[in-house]
Amino acid sequence: MRFLLLLAFLIPFAGTAQLRTGPRVGVSLATISAGGLFNWSGLPMPGPIVGWSFEIPWTAQASFLVEPMYMSKGSLAQNPQLRTFTSVRLGYLELPVMFKISTDTLPGGFFLTAGGMFGWWMNGRTVTRQDGTVLFESSYRLQGTANRSQVSVGVGFGWDRPKSRFELRYQTSITPFSTVLRGQNLVAGLHFTLLLPTRAKRSSTDD
């Protein structure tokens, strides 16, 4: 509900501001913590990030990023004695709303981000392999709850280019996805956004 209220607040700015928008892709490295925020444990589980970025300017150095995306979370655990790897892949629809501040008044350069994300669990899969051979595979099921929603917070830093943006973002959930396993979803993501030409630039090019 808070995210919907924030989006309602940002909509008037979107109607008058010069939006920068474009497709966003990346790679996530995820784990499920043993407990506590930003408490990394286990091996990183790689996965895809696919979405769209909307940057709504506020001031010369500040803006809001609204970025609906599909993100892979989960965990990867190793048992050296049994020579097994167990991977848990969790697919989430995420709606990050981030505050972005540039370190320079000139276009481009480095920036910092911070904000929150609302996530909705879509699907999941658990696979156990031994020496590359699949021993066990099944769909992941939420344990002890039917609640698919999850709230996360994150921070990041990146580099603006005239036609693209790179960002390294670290996020952790603050609501557990299972009442049995009290861990949190942690994700370190490398994001790339291809910025489309603005309307002003398109019209000047057409002329």
Side-chain angles (χ1 to χ4, degrees), residues 190-203:
L190 179 61
H191 301 249
F192 170 77
T193 301
L194 178 63
L195 298 172
L196 302 179
T198 60
R199 291 182 179 178
K201 290 184 178 180
R202 285 177 179 174
S203 60

Side-chain angles (χ1 to χ4, degrees), residues 3-81:
F3 279 91
L4 295 178
L5 293 176
L6 180 57
L7 287 177
F9 170 77
L10 294 176
I11 285 175
F13 289 94
T16 58
Q18 188 72 18
L19 281 174
R20 301 183 73 194
T21 180
R24 188 176 181 92
V25 297
V27 177
S28 64
L29 296 177
T31 190
I32 299 176
S33 70
L37 301 180
F38 295 103
N39 183 21
W40 190 278
S41 60
L43 300 172
M45 177 68 179
I49 299 173
V50 181
W52 202 270
S53 177
F54 299 89
E55 181 176 1
I56 305 171
W58 186 27
T59 68
Q61 290 181 254
S63 59
F64 293 95
L65 297 177
V66 181
E67 300 169 325
M69 65 180 67
Y70 176 86
M71 172 180 288
S72 179
K73 303 182 182 181
S75 65
L76 179 62
Q78 179 186 15
N79 189 322
Q81 288 75 24

